[in-house]
């Protein structure tokens, strides 16, 4: 693996800076729940991932693979349409790239969205969860290996990783929305297999409200470089073993597509407010 030093990340950022020639205020990483969101961006400058030095390519079919700069709600934003996951074979350390790119571009706040399975039995498919905190019991971290002090200290705090001020604004924006919006704990599983019913029962006992295969790597990178962060999960299905049926990617995709309009409106409102 290439040495992931500060120059590695800078090369990536310099390329993007030369194209956009501007400083985005808000960075957003789109999960499966917000496929069409990037079409809302005004005056878009589109950069395919494969053109960016040292960047990764997203191998998941429903993930587009484009970095888009433009404006929305009067704010300059940079949007990753398509994200990277450990289950695609990328080492955890490489998953620091998106948020570190945002940081080097001057982004002040990051929003991360994802599709997730509902563990909390009072949640329903189509509901939204503002992430309050997370559980990750896999041991590995995207910040393992040599620390890069330009981004942050070796040992860093994660107490307010999902920034309180942003969560409060997201809760305020929920008023008047037709969506059911909760606040809860997201639990990370590496995937790509969905969890077993026993894992879901354990997750519930541990305090999880939703489970998914992304977000936590990016959230930890944000905490390391002191980037204010908001995480939003779309409940695309009830987690394994809750209903008497098997989980499929089709169900995840269908719910995500169904909710993408109102969810996009909600995210746009949040961008206007933060
Ligand atoms: N588990 C993990 N990831 C997911 C799920 C799930 O049930 N639904 C959507 N992403």
């Amino acid at each position: 693996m290439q040495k992931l030093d500060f120059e590695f990340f800078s090369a990536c950022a310099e390329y993007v800076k030369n194209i956009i020639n501007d400083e985005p205020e808000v960075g957003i990483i789109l999960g499966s729940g917000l496929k069409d969101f990037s079409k809302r961006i005004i005056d878009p400058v589109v950069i395919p991932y494969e053109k960016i030095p040292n960047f990764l390519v997203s191998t998941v079919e429903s993930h587009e693979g484009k970095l888009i700069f433009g404006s929305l709600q009067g704010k300059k934003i940079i949007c990753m349409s398509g994200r990277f996951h450990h289950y695609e074979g990328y080492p955890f350390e490489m998953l620091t790239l998106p948020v570190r790119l945002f940081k080097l571009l001057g982004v002040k706040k990051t929003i991360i969205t994802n599709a997730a399975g509902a563990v909390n039995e009072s949640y329903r498919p189509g509901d939204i969860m503002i992430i309050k905190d997370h559980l990750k019991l896999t041991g590995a971290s995207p910040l393992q290996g040599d620390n890069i002090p330009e981004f942050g200290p070796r040992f860093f705090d994660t107490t307010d990783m999902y920034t309180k001020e942003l969560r409060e604004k997201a809760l305020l924006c929920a008023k008047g929305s037709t969506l059911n919006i909760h606040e809860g704990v997201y639990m990370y599983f590496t995937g790509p297999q969905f969890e077993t019913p026993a894992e879901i029962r354990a997750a519930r006992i541990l305090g999880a409200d939703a489970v998914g295969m992304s977000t936590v790597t990016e959230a930890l990178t944000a905490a390391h470089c002191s980037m204010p962060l908001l995480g939003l999960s779309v409940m695309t299905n009830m987690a394994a073993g809750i209903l008497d049926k098997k989980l499929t990617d089709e169900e995840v995709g269908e719910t995500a597509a169904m909710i993408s309009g109102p969810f996009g409106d909600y995210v746009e409102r949040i961008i206007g407010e933060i």
Side-chain angles (χ1 to χ4, degrees):
M1 196 169 81
Q2 225 173 322
K3 189 167 164 51
L4 300 189
D5 52 15
F6 190 68
E7 286 64 41
F8 177 90
F9 296 98
S10 300
C12 188
E14 285 312 311
Y15 177 85
V16 176
K17 269 187 197 169
N18 279 331
I19 293 178
I20 66 176
N21 234 331
D22 210 334
E23 198 164 284
E25 186 184 346
V26 179
I28 172 159
I29 301 176
L30 302 180
S32 331
L34 259 187
K35 240 174 163 182
D36 292 334
F37 188 79
S38 59
K39 296 194 183 123
R40 296 173 182 241
I41 298 172
I42 298 162
D43 296 330
V45 177
V46 180
I47 310 174
Y49 290 168
E50 62 268 20
K51 294 255 166 82
I52 309 172
N54 300 337
F55 218 57
L56 310 174
V57 287
S58 68
T59 65
V60 186
E61 230 172 84
S62 59
H63 287 253
E64 210 178 21
K66 288 178 184 151
L67 189 69
I68 304 156
F69 171 77
S71 67
L72 204 56
Q73 296 290 326
K75 297 222 166 86
K76 289 175 193 167
I77 75 163
I78 187 120
C79 167
M80 276 194 57
S81 183
R83 63 141 58 88
F84 314 118
H85 311 81
H86 181 62
Y87 65 70
E88 293 173 81
Y90 293 124
F92 276 103
E93 297 90 316
M94 289 294 273
L95 301 175
T96 54
L97 248 173
V99 173
R100 286 183 166 171
L101 170 64
F102 284 177
K103 184 77 183 178
L104 293 175
L105 293 177
V107 165
K108 303 289 180 295
K109 290 154 196 161
T110 291
I111 301 176
I112 314 183
T113 74
N114 62 51
V119 173
N120 186 319
E121 288 176 297
S122 74
Y123 291 7
R124 290 288 166 266
D127 287 2
I128 308 299
M129 185 183 85
I130 298 167
I131 304 176
K132 189 164 61 179
D133 203 347
H134 79 224
L135 285 157
K136 177 184 77 64
L137 303 184
T138 60
S141 165
L143 283 311
Q144 65 200 14
D146 288 343
N147 184 48
I148 304 179
E150 287 90 337
F151 288 114
R154 168 81 295 180
F155 302 103
F156 59 100
D157 181 66
T158 59
T159 313
D160 192 31
M161 175 163 36
Y162 299 94
T163 315
K164 188 156 185 270
E165 189 193 329
L166 299 182
R167 286 190 280 119
E168 283 172 355
K169 287 190 174 156
L171 278 171
L172 280 179
C173 291
K175 296 215 168 89
S177 168
T178 53
L179 296 164
N180 263 331
I181 301 172
H182 314 273
E183 208 179 11
V185 174
Y186 177 95
M187 184 161 181
Y188 175 73
F189 284 83
T190 49
Q193 70 284 353
F194 290 114
E195 302 71 28
T196 64
E199 284 167 340
I200 295 303
R201 286 194 299 276
R204 189 176 301 114
I205 291 167
L206 291 172
D209 296 294
V211 288
M213 308 173 193
S214 66
T215 296
V216 157
T217 50
E218 296 140 0
L220 289 168
T221 310
H224 181 245
C225 67
S226 307
M227 168 81 81
L229 178 76
L230 178 69
L232 300 170
S233 296
V234 175
M235 301 302 117
T236 50
N237 54 284
M238 297 309 289
I242 296 180
L243 305 176
D244 188 18
K245 63 174 191 178
K246 293 190 176 186
L247 301 192
T248 64
D249 190 38
E250 284 70 40
E251 181 188 0
V252 170
E254 276 165 25
T255 315
M258 185 189 77
I259 210 70
S260 90
F263 184 51
D265 293 344
Y266 176 54
V267 175
E268 245 196 80
R269 216 171 316 134
I270 293 174
I271 290 173
E273 291 298 323
I274 63 173

